[in-house]
Amino acid sequence: MTYIQDFEKIITEQLARVERMKEGEAFADFEHMDKIVIGVIDGDGIGPVIVREAQRVLEVLLKEEIVSGKIELRQIQGLTIENRIAQNATVPAEVLAEIKACSVLLKGPTTTPGKGDNLPNIESANVTLRRELDLFANVRPVFIPEKNIDWVFYRENTEGEYALGSRGIEISPDIAIDFKVTTTGGTQRIAKAAFEYARANGGKNVSIVTKANIMKKTDGKFLDLCYQVAKDYPEIKVDDWYVDIMAANLVNEQIRSNFNVFILPNLYGDIITDEAAQIQGGVGTAGSANVGGKYAMFEAIHGSAPRMVADGIADYANPSSILKAAEMMLRHIGQAQKADKLSDALQAAQAEKSMTGDSSGETAAAFADCVLARL
Ligand code: IPM
Ligand code: MG
């Protein structure tokens, strides 16, 4: 009967988290910071290859600020699968302390051991960092002007299926149970972030995506709360869809350009944003912002691609996604002009360089050279 105690512990912890959320948190004020420290984390697999290029581009873009000491690019070591396994920690304590000393983070992909990898079953570093830094909004833009597509996904980033993803319970050899968590505060803050974005960007439509017909308690609550938040934004058109038909809508050329802003619980957001990124040209092309009150972490939407490393083609990884993340980071810290510059250069490089992900295409370094030439 130990699982009853496990379950009790989970409930107690989640109730405490809800109370902590009610206390709220002050938002970082980059304009008035003496110094902005950007933590740069390589990650695993193709991570070091693409992060190196993003760092090179940032060093040029932020040259003045780095020289004047207003901005520091700080390398953070140790968030590698080797070190995490050696320490048997998803994010080793000293690495987490270094991370928390930064204002924002640019992070390469980190490997998550999966079933059958023959590695210790440590939690995804992403999931741990999102939780530890309370990065509740996962913002993922997908922009394809020639197809009239301008989507921004607001994926809830700390709850849902992920909150207790490593804490499911093996009741008996015959039955396993996982948990999904939806809270009032957790839902309201992601909904508010999405509606604020829609308002600030010319009243774009907002679509809520759930499976509330099946997950009645959690998704039902999410849907109700999103509509409640919507009342504060009467000028914005809102609708809601089940995630299955939304997956179909995104490949339906008749209607997909009608969508603008999406709000999704964690797991649906994970899945739908990979689909959307693929429509844009592949998961290698999409950036991702994980935003909380105090901290924010910017990363490529894709994983560490161990297969590319095994095949000896890591140098051909496409750094677009991490550069897009760098662009989002610049915007977040109040460097909109530099973000625009990077965005233009990135689009030019994408038109010019063929990134096939193997030796038939260009290397990450050649791509970044092209971006640098266009800055
Ligand atoms: C993402 C990734 C992560 C997720 C993995 C690496 C844990 O797929 O950022 O979308 O599932 O959230
Ligand atoms: Mg994903």
Side-chain angles (χ1 to χ4, degrees), residues 14-30:
Q14 290 301 308
L15 286 169
R17 185 172 71 84
V18 165
E19 289 310 311
R20 276 200 306 277
M21 245 189 295
K22 285 183 188 160
E23 289 161 19
E25 197 180 20
F27 274 76
D29 176 6
F30 293 102

Side-chain angles (χ1 to χ4, degrees), residues 170-244:
E170 201 121 22
I171 307 283
S172 81
D174 292 323
I175 172 166
I177 297 188
D178 273 321
F179 303 103
K180 169 160 173 162
V181 184
T182 298
T183 70
T184 301
T187 307
Q188 282 169 336
R189 62 186 184 176
I190 187 68
K192 228 180 124 194
F195 280 103
E196 284 294 326
Y197 171 82
R199 173 172 280 172
N201 287 274
K204 293 177 185 289
N205 306 331
V206 172
S207 301
I208 309 159
V209 181
T210 69
K211 191 73 184 173
N213 50 339
I214 302 300
M215 302 306 294
K216 291 183 190 294
K217 285 283 176 290
T218 48
D219 283 1
K221 182 177 178 65
F222 192 92
L223 183 58
D224 285 350
L225 286 167
C226 286
Y227 270 117
Q228 266 183 40
V229 171
K231 287 188 190 148
D232 293 334
Y233 302 82
E235 80 279 17
I236 291 173
K237 196 169 144 272
V238 192
D239 54 18
D240 74 275
W241 302 79
Y242 295 135
V243 62
D244 47 351

Side-chain angles (χ1 to χ4, degrees), residues 324-345:
K324 185 83 203 154
E327 177 202 325
M328 295 176 84
M329 182 186 75
L330 289 170
R331 238 176 264 294
H332 186 78
I333 62 173
Q335 298 281 356
Q337 261 182 346
K338 294 188 176 170
D340 289 342
K341 245 174 130 176
L342 176 53
S343 172
D344 291 346

Side-chain angles (χ1 to χ4, degrees), residues 10 30 118 158 191 221 271 285 298-299 322 362:
I10 283 171
F30 293 102
N118 246 332
T158 50
K221 182 177 178 65
I271 297 165
T285 65
F298 299 81
E299 61 185 355
I322 194 85
E362 305 267 3

Side-chain angles (χ1 to χ4, degrees), residues 130 140 155 162 269-271 273-274 301-302:
R130 289 168 185 169
R140 296 183 158 176
R155 166 189 176 191
Y162 283 65
D270 176 47
I271 297 165
T273 55
D274 265 15
I301 183 176
H302 55 75

